[in-house]
Amino acid sequence: MKKNIAIIMGGYSSEYKISLTSGNVVHKYLNKEKFNTYRIHIFKDKWVYVDEDNEEYPINKNDFSVNLEKETLRFDCIFNAIHGSPGEDGLMQAYFELIGIPQTSCDYYQSALTFNKRDLLSVLKPYGIHAAPSYYLNLGDTIDEEAIIEKVGLPCFVKANKAGSSFGISKVHEKENLKAAIDNAYKEDDEIIIEAFLDGTEVSVGVITYRGEIKVLPITEIVSENDFFDYEAKYEGKSQEITPGRISTIQQKKVEEIAKRAYEVLKMKGYSRSEFIFIGDEPYMLEMNTTPGLTTESILPQQAEKEGISLEELFTSAVDEALKKKG
């Protein structure tokens, strides 16, 4: 019997368009001999199954089933392709845990923790994982520009604490631009992290559970044509993503070890993609994504391809791992 796999995509954040693209790629490449695949759009105003004719059928949120004309469709496993909330912040993971359906991404606690940049970096610090000097703000806090600059210096990065795909991020060179950058970040989140600018090579490291083993994928070097790796650089071709990255053997070994350590310390499963900047040979962590982009141009699939893992193998293994956990 083929297993029924629901591919959830969309979401409640600014990343929903990228998520729809990722979800459609998963739908295309997931092994059709092993699985029946179904596209599920998750939006604030509707949860629907979208069939091949783009007809929509509402999801019953009590058990995540779909009433079709002649049958009730139930799912054996969820493939999570939602970037941002509610697929990358623990909400969907907790929901599926409660109703007893396995899903491909990490568990709800790990998802919520990694989505919160401030909390993630704080938890990893005792394990020897470095991060840039930072200053925290919550909506409503007094903005002391002098204190911020004293702590992190200029230039600095102002980021939404819980947002992905470079939404709500600015690089600030002058003090007079700090307030506008903070206002911009508050459009995405009510928490902000302001970080010192680290001038070094940026890399992205994929760590996945693949066929039962934790695997570090070939490392990608990020070379942005813009001032930093912003949305335009990430999604509109304004960057070079070089895999494998042009880093030394010492740098490679260090960042592989640290990315794997973070994955193991946090008891991760599924996919992760962590961003680092090298200062000398020392990698400093920026963030960890637990539902990274899965389009054919996305970094993690590029890394898997370099490792000799096809999209079909990458996606099928994630479902197999989730089903195995249930079994």
Side-chain angles (χ1 to χ4, degrees), residues 194-208:
I194 304 173
E195 292 180 330
F197 168 60
L198 300 177
D199 191 6
T201 303
E202 183 170 351
V203 295
S204 188
V205 187
V207 184
I208 63 174

Side-chain angles (χ1 to χ4, degrees), residues 293-308:
L294 298 173
T295 71
T296 48
E297 295 82 28
S298 296
I299 291 173
L300 191 92
Q302 286 180 35
Q303 294 174 339
E305 186 184 9
K306 290 288 183 187
E307 186 68 15

Side-chain angles (χ1 to χ4, degrees), residues 103-135:
Q103 52 87 35
T104 56
S105 61
C106 60
D107 293 330
Y108 62 90
Y109 169 73
Q110 286 80 357
S111 186
L113 175 68
T114 52
F115 197 64
N116 187 311
K117 298 180 183 76
R118 300 183 337 192
D119 290 357
L120 169 70
L121 297 173
S122 299
V123 165
L124 291 177
K125 188 177 180 180
Y127 295 93
I129 296 173
H130 299 300
S134 57
Y135 189 102

Side-chain angles (χ1 to χ4, degrees), residues 225-246:
E225 292 174 23
N226 292 354
D227 200 17
F228 63 97
F229 194 44
D230 59 5
Y231 183 91
E232 199 178 47
K234 202 171 272 189
Y235 296 109
E236 296 174 8
K238 293 295 181 77
S239 69
Q240 280 182 282
E241 295 161 5
I242 302 162
T243 312
R246 301 165 300 180

